[in-house]
Amino acid sequence: MHHKSWSNLRKSLEEDRLCPALRGRVQYFLTRYHDAHDDEGRLCIRVDGKEYLSSHQWNHHEWYHDGKYRRRTREEQNQKGLFCYCQVLQAIDAYMDELTIDEALSSEDPLIRLFAVLDRRVGKRRLSSLASAMENEPEWLQFFYRLRLEAEGYKLPIRIVPLTCDNFRADSLDGFIRHQEVTECWRCVNGEWQLLPIAFTEDWDLSRLQAEAADVLRAIAAGIPAIGAFDGEKLVGFAQLGEHLGSRGQYIELVNYHVSAPYRGQGIGRRLFAAICDAARSLSAEKLYISAHSSKESQTAYQALGCVLAQEVDAKRAANEPCDVQMEYDL
C-alpha cells in the first residue's frame, strides 16, 4: 500500500469497495508509530463506532496450566482474530490491487475473505450462497458476514456451531421457549408399547432455564461437547452430550436436545442432531443413548431421525425417568 496514501486507500475501502448498505457504518482506522521498529502501527475496523477487529503486536506464547509455554502458529492467532500490523497491510494490498473478487472470496487469508464479504461486487445471490461455507469460518468473520446479510435485509441463516464459554452464558436460555402441549404418550403395558391418552402441558420457567444453562456451562468447562443453533446472537436450539454408558462403553448419552418452540418445523432439529452425532463420533462412541420424551410428537421426531428402542437399557436412567422411552441411535 506504500504507493497510495492512507487517506486515499481508506476512501477506496469505505466508499468504492464497501457495499452501499454498510457505507458510514464500517470504518477503517490506521495509526502509525513512526518511532517504533519498522514503522509499526495499528489498524482497526469499527462498526457503528465500536471496534471489532484490530491488528496487535504478535503474542507468540500461550500459557498452559501445566506451566509450559507453547508458541502459537499464525493460523491459531488468526482464528482468534489476532493479526500483526504488516499482515493487515499485505492483505489490503492483495485485495485492492492483485485479486479478482472471486479470488478474494476463496483466498487462504481470512482477512482478504473479510474484505471480499463486505465488497459491493458480491451480489445478494452470491452472498446467500456463502452461508454453508461461513459455518466453518472463524467467529469474527461470521460476525461480518451476518452484518452484511442484515444490512442487505436478509433473514440471517440459522448457525449450528459448538457452544463455548464465548457464545454461551448463564442467561443464554432466558428467552428459550420449551413449551409442549401433550395429548398422547407411549407407555409399555404388559411388555407392549401402547399410545395412551395422557394430556399435560410442559413448560420451563426462568429458574428451570437458568438451571439448564448452568448445567450446559459446567459441561462446556469440562470439555463435554455441546452444540447450539443461533438466529443471529439468539440461541434457538441446543444439544449436549454426557457420559459413556453401556457394558462396553459403547453408548454416549444425549443429555439435552431441544429447539425453541417458534423455531420448530424448520429443519433446525435435524441439523442440530447431525452436528451432535459428529461430536459423539469424535469421542469414539458407537451409539447415542437417549432417555427420550414419551409424547407422540417427540417419539415421531426421534424415529424420523432413525432412533430405535435401546438394546441395552441403562437401569439408572430408566428409574430416574420411568415415563421416558429408552432409545439409541447407531452412529
Side-chain angles (χ1 to χ4, degrees), residues 263-306:
Y263 290 84
R264 294 171 193 161
Q266 301 178 32
I268 297 170
R270 187 172 289 275
R271 293 173 61 200
L272 201 58
F273 190 78
I276 203 67
C277 285
D278 286 341
R281 292 184 190 99
S282 73
L283 298 176
S284 301
E286 297 175 17
K287 301 179 179 184
L288 287 182
Y289 187 92
I290 311 159
S291 185
H293 201 289
S294 62
S295 71
K296 177 182 177 181
E297 295 79 11
S298 295
Q299 284 300 300
T300 298
Y302 279 116
Q303 290 169 20
L305 291 168

Side-chain angles (χ1 to χ4, degrees), residues 112-146:
I112 294 176
R113 298 199 298 275
L114 161 63
F115 298 135
V117 161
L118 302 180
D119 196 298
R120 62 176 176 77
R121 292 171 293 174
V122 178
K124 292 185 177 182
R125 183 178 299 178
R126 183 69 180 275
L127 193 66
S128 180
S129 73
L130 297 174
S132 296
M134 277 293 152
E135 292 184 2
N136 299 316
E137 292 284 12
E139 180 61 33
W140 59 265
L141 184 47
Q142 292 185 36
F143 165 80
F144 284 98
Y145 176 66
R146 296 194 300 272

Side-chain angles (χ1 to χ4, degrees), residues 2-241:
H2 304 292
H3 64 283
K4 185 181 294 187
S5 70
W6 170 247
S7 59
N8 287 334
L9 186 60
R10 177 180 175 182
K11 182 175 182 295
S12 295
L13 286 168
E14 294 182 1
E15 298 180 17
D16 299 337
R17 291 290 181 89
L18 190 63
C19 68
L22 287 174
R23 288 175 190 167
R25 296 185 60 193
V26 174
Q27 297 174 303
Y28 299 85
F29 289 88
L30 173 69
T31 301
R32 282 201 180 93
Y33 308 131
H34 295 291
D35 295 332
H37 176 64
D38 289 338
D39 200 25
E40 186 64 82
R42 181 173 181 274
L43 192 147
C44 72
I45 303 175
R46 295 178 186 170
V47 178
D48 298 328
K50 182 177 179 180
E51 188 172 303
Y52 277 91
L53 194 69
S54 65
S55 64
H56 294 264
Q57 295 285 346
W58 279 117
N59 176 18
H60 286 294
H61 295 95
E62 187 168 12
W63 177 259
Y64 278 81
H65 294 299
D66 61 4
K68 297 180 180 179
Y69 285 103
R70 180 177 67 82
R71 181 173 290 274
R72 283 176 174 168
T73 65
R74 170 175 282 200
E75 290 72 23
E76 289 174 316
Q77 295 271 21
N78 294 173
Q79 189 70 23
K80 295 175 180 289
L82 301 176
F83 302 90
C84 72
Y85 174 73
C86 291
Q87 186 182 1
V88 178
L89 295 185
Q90 289 168 1
I92 292 175
D93 255 351
Y95 163 67
M96 294 296 294
D97 299 330
E98 301 173 14
L99 303 176
T100 67
I101 190 60
D102 289 338
E103 291 170 337
L105 283 169
S106 60
S107 170
E108 293 184 0
D109 189 330
L111 279 171
I112 294 176
R113 298 199 298 275
L114 161 63
F115 298 135
V117 161
L118 302 180
D119 196 298
R120 62 176 176 77
R121 292 171 293 174
V122 178
K124 292 185 177 182
R125 183 178 299 178
R126 183 69 180 275
L127 193 66
S128 180
S129 73
L130 297 174
S132 296
M134 277 293 152
E135 292 184 2
N136 299 316
E137 292 284 12
E139 180 61 33
W140 59 265
L141 184 47
Q142 292 185 36
F143 165 80
F144 284 98
Y145 176 66
R146 296 194 300 272
L147 177 72
R148 173 75 189 274
L149 285 177
E150 187 177 25
E152 299 286 3
Y154 270 83
K155 177 175 172 55
L156 299 178
I158 301 296
R159 297 178 294 127
I160 307 294
V161 296
L163 292 179
T164 68
C165 291
D166 293 327
N167 62 19
F168 189 89
R169 305 177 304 276
D171 63 353
S172 288
L173 293 178
D174 284 6
F176 197 90
I177 302 176
R178 175 64 178 91
H179 177 87
Q180 189 171 5
E181 297 282 351
V182 178
T183 58
E184 296 177 284
C185 291
W186 288 95
R187 293 288 186 268
C188 188
V189 180
N190 298 324
E192 293 186 2
W193 286 98
Q194 298 180 19
L195 190 58
L196 302 179
I198 300 173
F200 61 92
T201 299
E202 185 166 3
D203 267 311
W204 287 3
D205 60 16
L206 183 59
S207 62
R208 173 67 186 274
L209 290 166
Q210 292 179 344
E212 292 290 336
D215 286 344
V216 173
L217 282 172
R218 281 190 287 270
I220 293 171
I224 298 172
I227 305 292
F230 287 88
D231 183 0
E233 304 305 314
K234 179 182 179 182
L235 185 74
V236 300
F238 67 105
Q240 172 201 335
L241 297 177

Side-chain angles (χ1 to χ4, degrees), residues 305-323:
L305 291 168
C307 302
V308 297
L309 293 175
Q311 294 180 0
E312 187 177 321
V313 173
D314 184 86
K316 178 181 177 181
R317 277 131 185 100
N320 287 343
E321 297 288 350
C323 293

